[in-house]
C-alpha cells in the first residue's frame, strides 16, 4: 500500500524551511519505506547530511 505524507524541516540548499511531499510504501511488518520525495534528495550537495530527509526516512543523523 502506498501513502503520501508532508514533512517540514530546514533545507540547507534553499536556506529556508521547506515542506516536502514524500511517497511511502508500507512493508509487511508495517514499517514505511521511503520511495520518493519532491526535492533533489540524492542529487543535492547536502543529501548526505540532510536532516529534513533523515526525518522523512525515520532515521537520525
Amino acid at each position: 500500500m502506498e501513502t503520501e505524507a508532508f514533512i517540514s524541516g530546514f533545507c540547507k540548499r534553499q536556506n529556508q524551511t521547506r515542506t516536502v511531499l514524500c511517497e511511502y510504501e508500507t512493508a509487511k511488518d508495517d514499517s514505511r519505506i521511503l520511495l520518493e520525495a519532491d526535492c533533489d534528495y540524492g542529487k543535492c550537495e547536502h543529501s548526505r547530511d540532510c536532516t529534513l530527509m533523515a526525518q522523512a526516512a525515520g532515521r537520525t543523523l
Side-chain angles (χ1 to χ4, degrees):
M1 178 175 156
E2 291 186 8
T3 58
E4 294 179 340
F6 290 99
I7 307 295
S8 295
F10 185 77
C11 176
K12 289 183 180 182
R13 185 176 196 176
Q14 294 182 1
N15 195 30
Q16 64 182 358
T17 301
R18 169 129 197 257
T19 301
V20 177
L21 175 61
C22 298
E23 187 175 316
Y24 296 94
E25 182 177 351
T26 304
K28 292 180 182 180
D29 64 355
D30 288 330
S31 63
R32 295 190 317 169
I33 301 165
L34 179 63
L35 299 175
E36 191 174 335
D38 73 342
C39 69
D40 284 335
Y41 183 69
K43 298 175 190 167
C44 173
E45 64 270 17
H46 301 289
S47 292
R48 190 168 159 203
D49 60 345
C50 180
T51 56
L52 194 145
M53 291 311 296
Q55 177 186 346
R59 58 183 168 79
T60 56
L61 289 176

